[in-house]
Amino acid sequence: MDASGRSKDGEGDDESKTKNSASSSNSVVDESEKASSSGVRPYVRSKVPRLRWTPDLHLCFVQAVERLGGYERATPKLVLQLMNTKGLRIAHVKSHLQMYRSKKIDDQGQGTDFVLCISYNGLRY
């Protein structure tokens, strides 16, 4: 070891770098430290391609839901079994059924608003 605290073979280099970086300002933060300190984990894109709900696939879904007694009684597992589509997983059906239910509820609400809206001589009341 020489007078600066470094050994001749470079063993103390890592230790001195750590000490120096700890005492310096935190202007440069490693990405992993930034993600963990902010509480937000980094986005990791899936290798599996996203499922595209084509009109035919959606029609098959709607038919399965109707056969089960409507969107209120249909369960993702039974819809998946009735659809019998290769590559379709329960997670896909769960998500689509949830969206389908919320859309149906919104459509029903808008339908009643339309009935309550009265038009007379171009003025809406």
Side-chain angles (χ1 to χ4, degrees), residues 54-73:
T54 62
D56 289 338
L57 188 58
H58 178 70
L59 181 63
C60 183
F61 168 84
V62 171
Q63 289 171 346
V65 168
E66 288 174 357
R67 283 186 61 194
L68 292 169
Y71 66 90
E72 291 174 333
R73 295 185 60 195

Side-chain angles (χ1 to χ4, degrees), residues 2-3 13 26 29 35 37-38 42-43 51-52 58-61 64 68 77 82 85 93 101 104 110:
D2 64 2
D13 290 345
N26 291 334
V29 179
S37 66
S38 67
Y43 176 73
L51 177 75
R52 175 90 171 124
H58 178 70
L59 181 63
C60 183
F61 168 84
L68 292 169
K77 186 174 182 180
L82 283 177
T85 304
V93 178
R101 284 175 174 160
K104 284 290 190 181
Q110 288 176 357

Side-chain angles (χ1 to χ4, degrees), residues 53 58-67 69-74 79 92-108:
W53 283 90
H58 178 70
L59 181 63
C60 183
F61 168 84
V62 171
Q63 289 171 346
V65 168
E66 288 174 357
R67 283 186 61 194
Y71 66 90
E72 291 174 333
R73 295 185 60 195
V79 172
H92 296 128
V93 178
K94 280 182 182 180
S95 172
H96 200 66
L97 183 59
Q98 183 179 19
M99 183 184 65
Y100 184 74
R101 284 175 174 160
S102 67
K103 179 75 173 148
K104 284 290 190 181
I105 291 168
D106 287 348
D107 288 348
Q108 287 176 350

Side-chain angles (χ1 to χ4, degrees), residues 8-125:
K8 291 181 183 178
D9 58 355
E11 287 177 19
D13 290 345
D14 292 336
E15 191 175 299
S16 64
K17 285 179 186 173
T18 305
K19 288 177 185 175
N20 289 340
S21 64
S23 64
S24 67
S25 69
N26 291 334
S27 59
V28 178
V29 179
D30 186 22
E31 287 299 318
S32 61
E33 289 175 17
K34 188 186 295 183
S36 65
S37 66
S38 67
V40 178
R41 62 186 181 121
Y43 176 73
V44 179
R45 189 176 180 117
S46 174
K47 292 179 176 68
V48 180
R50 186 173 173 208
L51 177 75
R52 175 90 171 124
W53 283 90
T54 62
D56 289 338
L57 188 58
H58 178 70
L59 181 63
C60 183
F61 168 84
V62 171
Q63 289 171 346
V65 168
E66 288 174 357
R67 283 186 61 194
L68 292 169
Y71 66 90
E72 291 174 333
R73 295 185 60 195
T75 63
K77 186 174 182 180
L78 293 175
V79 172
L80 181 64
Q81 289 172 354
L82 283 177
M83 288 181 71
N84 194 24
T85 304
K86 184 179 177 183
L88 190 64
R89 295 194 313 261
I90 195 162
H92 296 128
V93 178
K94 280 182 182 180
S95 172
H96 200 66
L97 183 59
Q98 183 179 19
M99 183 184 65
Y100 184 74
R101 284 175 174 160
S102 67
K103 179 75 173 148
K104 284 290 190 181
I105 291 168
D106 287 348
D107 288 348
Q108 287 176 350
Q110 288 176 357
T112 57
D113 289 345
F114 180 75
V115 173
L116 295 175
C117 180
I118 300 169
S119 177
Y120 180 71
N121 289 336
L123 301 173
R124 297 183 84 176
Y125 297 96

